Amino acid sequence: MTSAASSEARLSIGDVLASLRPDFPDVTISKIRFLEAQGLVDPSRTPAGYRKFSPLDVERLRYVLTAQRDHYLPLKVIKDQVDALEAGSVPTEVPVRRPPTPPVRLTREQMLAETGMTEAALDQLDSSGLLNRRRGGHYDADDMALARVVCRVEYFGLEPRHLRAFKGAADRELGLLQQAVGNRNRSRDPMATQRARTEAEQLLELFLELHATLLRAGARREMGT
């Protein structure tokens, strides 16, 4: 295949949304971005930074959405399953669940190596209250992801102490999420518990979309755009 043909075969995020909507009416651009952030799809980028999805990317998304909708599988389990698509094959049915993967446990030295942070920057982040790590303990996958975002935010002159408002807002939104699905999540029925977890993920995605929409709307008002 020529490079021109390969480029033409790739879809914008809007094209992908239009392709998925007939089968998944609730899917949104924010949902697709969320799945990308979770490592479930990895579109290429144009020099200007726009996402370009291959046909295999679209099949990955279709598989993930089907597994969530019809089988109530958590995203970590689905990610294990769709990793098989790296070989270029698309499964025709949702496979059985696999054993959970061990949690990420990083030492301070490993955290520095994984994120590229300086020791001083990690000290600041440790004292900010944004991380899950207990004093003297290990860092987990969420700590690593947050540290990488903080590194990018620092480019704009913001330090971890400036980001505490995000932690407070996240804690309040988590309270709302627990209020909405908490009782069902404590059920002894495995199906009810799994359904509650799926609903929690869906509600989380809506919270993320709402948060982003409010921020964009506020920014437009402040900048007069």
Side-chain angles (χ1 to χ4, degrees):
M1 179 181 293
T2 66
S3 59
S6 176
S7 176
E8 290 175 358
R10 293 188 175 267
L11 305 174
S12 70
I13 195 168
D15 294 330
V16 173
L17 181 64
S19 173
L20 296 173
R21 269 275 171 83
D23 296 318
F24 306 97
D26 294 334
V27 71
T28 62
I29 285 179
S30 294
K31 167 81 170 184
I32 295 171
R33 288 172 176 162
F34 175 78
L35 293 176
E36 178 188 354
Q38 299 303 305
L40 289 154
V41 66
D42 186 22
S44 61
R45 298 271 185 160
T46 68
Y50 294 106
R51 295 170 177 84
K52 286 295 181 181
F53 295 80
S54 70
L56 182 56
D57 291 328
V58 178
E59 290 305 315
R60 275 179 169 269
L61 288 169
R62 191 176 297 279
Y63 178 81
V64 171
L65 294 170
T66 300
Q68 280 192 305
R69 182 192 63 193
D70 298 345
H71 299 270
Y72 305 106
L73 296 179
L75 287 179
K76 287 184 179 179
V77 173
I78 298 172
K79 186 177 186 306
D80 283 344
Q81 296 173 354
V82 298
D83 281 344
L85 300 178
E86 291 295 339
S89 60
V90 180
T92 57
E93 59 183 15
V94 177
V96 296
R97 294 192 187 189
R98 299 178 183 178
T101 56
V104 172
R105 289 170 56 84
L106 299 177
T107 64
R108 177 179 173 83
E109 291 72 23
Q110 290 170 328
M111 182 72 156
L112 291 169
E114 288 286 344
T115 62
M117 299 187 82
T118 64
E119 293 199 15
L122 184 54
D123 286 340
Q124 266 199 337
L125 188 55
D126 271 333
S127 62
S128 70
L130 297 176
L131 299 178
N132 296 317
R133 185 182 79 108
R134 297 180 181 274
R135 184 178 298 274
H138 289 78
Y139 299 93
D140 63 18
D142 291 329
D143 291 330
M144 181 172 63
L146 188 144
R148 286 172 172 168
V149 173
V150 168
C151 285
R152 292 160 63 189
V153 170
E154 285 180 336
Y155 173 81
F156 298 94
L158 296 176
E159 300 176 3
R161 61 189 175 86
H162 298 132
L163 307 177
R164 289 173 184 160
F166 287 89
K167 179 68 164 59
D171 288 342
R172 289 190 293 272
E173 290 163 8
L174 179 60
L176 289 175
L177 188 149
Q178 291 172 332
Q179 178 181 331
V181 300
N183 290 335
R184 280 170 288 178
N185 194 40
R186 291 191 292 268
S187 170
R188 294 185 179 181
D189 178 1
M191 286 298 295
T193 299
Q194 188 56 60
R195 186 173 292 108
R197 289 175 180 171
T198 300
E199 289 177 356
E201 288 184 350
Q202 292 171 343
L203 186 56
L204 173 61
E205 291 155 16
L206 291 173
F207 281 178
L208 291 171
E209 185 173 356
L210 176 62
H211 190 77
T213 300
L214 289 171
L215 278 176
R216 290 192 190 99
R220 281 196 294 269
R221 287 194 298 271
E222 289 296 322
M223 294 185 289
T225 58

